[in-house]
Amino acid sequence: MPLTAAQIVADACAIAKCPGYTALGGRSLNLVLNDLVLHRNLKVNLITTTINLPAYSNGPFNLEANYLRTYDMFYLVSGEPFFLNPCSLKEYDQESQQTGQSNYPYEWATDLSGVPTLGYGSLFIYPQSGSGISVTHRYYNSQADIVTPETSSVIPWFPDQDYLLNATAVRLMRITDDDRMAKFEADCERMLDLHLITEGDEQQVVKEVALDPRRFKGQGGNRPTKLQPW
């Protein structure tokens, strides 16, 4: 049976030999979860949604409130998928923005500067579409902190609870200056590496090394990858 946040904190405090540090243990568990959200592209945090984009507009369009970063983005034209390629805001600003210029969009850029004040970021596309399109957006979402995890019955969203238990204990050992911290930290890295290798279904998918499709266009039916079709 999965452990609750309170149970993980209590066990981590026992491992770190500081049973009275439950409040610090709760904050440590939230920091462990936050680190996973910010620094790992975990499939458990992958969400699929739809963004309806009007005709003759490059944006800005509002991103989802829980948006962290994009996995991919595409739309259909007569059943044919068109994937948009990411670009930086600097590259987007260098594109021609003449009035009336429209085509099938092939690039997207995001501006997250509004998140602290507005609570959401902005999406831009290039070029603007000549008609309204429905874009499928797969993105990694952020996760809210667990409220008072040291007493919470919530089960944390990250499924590898053994990692959460040990990683929370490591943060407590850092506070108590425990000599075992380095060993536990190394064990946590091995546990997380193993989880990342086996997480989701994509580990079985053959990966291709691709050139930037915005700079290298396929000629004669060849794909812009190092693997050429026969």
Side-chain angles (χ1 to χ4, degrees), residues 201-207:
D201 298 320
E202 292 193 9
Q203 70 272 14
Q204 300 294 335
V205 178
V206 176
K207 303 298 190 299

Side-chain angles (χ1 to χ4, degrees), residues 208 218-230:
E208 292 182 345
Q219 300 294 331
N222 290 337
R223 299 172 298 166
T225 69
K226 289 185 177 180
L227 302 178
Q228 299 297 336
W230 296 95

Side-chain angles (χ1 to χ4, degrees), residues 3-230:
L3 298 176
T4 65
Q7 289 172 325
I8 291 175
V9 170
D11 289 355
C13 287
I15 292 172
K17 299 180 181 179
C18 53
Y21 284 39
T22 53
L24 283 171
R27 291 195 291 271
S28 295
L29 174 58
N30 272 332
L31 287 172
V32 169
L33 292 168
N34 191 51
D35 176 69
L36 291 169
V37 169
L38 292 178
H39 304 132
R40 309 289 179 174
N41 290 332
L42 298 170
K43 297 300 185 296
V44 69
N45 287 332
L46 198 59
I47 289 179
T48 300
T49 189
T50 300
I51 305 176
N52 294 313
L53 306 182
Y56 301 109
S57 176
N58 295 107
F61 310 110
N62 293 344
L63 287 166
E64 298 80 0
N66 61 349
Y67 172 85
L68 186 61
R69 51 185 166 265
T70 294
Y71 179 75
D72 61 17
M73 191 180 298
F74 67 94
Y75 57 95
L76 301 177
V77 177
S78 299
E80 185 73 18
F82 284 74
F83 280 80
L84 285 81
N85 301 305
C87 70
S88 67
L89 279 173
K90 179 179 179 181
E91 291 171 322
Y92 171 79
D93 290 337
Q94 291 174 340
E95 301 283 14
S96 173
Q97 304 284 351
Q98 296 180 5
T99 303
Q101 183 181 20
S102 64
N103 203 331
Y104 290 137
Y106 55 82
E107 287 182 346
W108 61 268
T110 58
D111 182 0
L112 304 183
S113 61
V115 172
T117 55
L118 300 175
Y120 56 84
S122 299
L123 169 70
F124 298 88
I125 61 169
Y126 184 84
Q128 58 186 247
S129 176
S131 61
I133 56 175
S134 180
V135 174
T136 297
H137 185 203
R138 285 192 285 247
Y139 68 96
Y140 296 100
N141 72 306
S142 58
Q143 294 277 1
D145 285 346
I146 300 174
V147 179
T148 56
E150 61 272 18
T151 59
S152 175
S153 60
V154 170
I155 296 174
W157 56 265
F158 188 65
D160 193 337
Q161 294 199 315
D162 194 23
Y163 169 79
L164 293 181
L165 179 60
N166 283 274
T168 302
V170 165
R171 289 186 175 272
L172 291 169
M173 290 177 185
R174 185 182 303 164
I175 297 170
T176 61
D177 199 22
D178 194 313
D179 292 338
R180 301 171 298 157
M181 190 192 78
K183 178 184 180 302
F184 270 79
E185 194 168 31
D187 289 341
C188 285
E189 287 298 321
R190 286 192 291 270
M191 294 165 65
L192 185 56
D193 287 345
L194 179 60
H195 177 85
L196 294 175
I197 289 172
T198 58
E199 190 228 12
D201 298 320
E202 292 193 9
Q203 70 272 14
Q204 300 294 335
V205 178
V206 176
K207 303 298 190 299
E208 292 182 345
V209 179
L211 299 173
D212 185 348
R214 298 170 299 156
R215 305 289 182 260
F216 299 88
K217 305 297 183 182
Q219 300 294 331
N222 290 337
R223 299 172 298 166
T225 69
K226 289 185 177 180
L227 302 178
Q228 299 297 336
W230 296 95

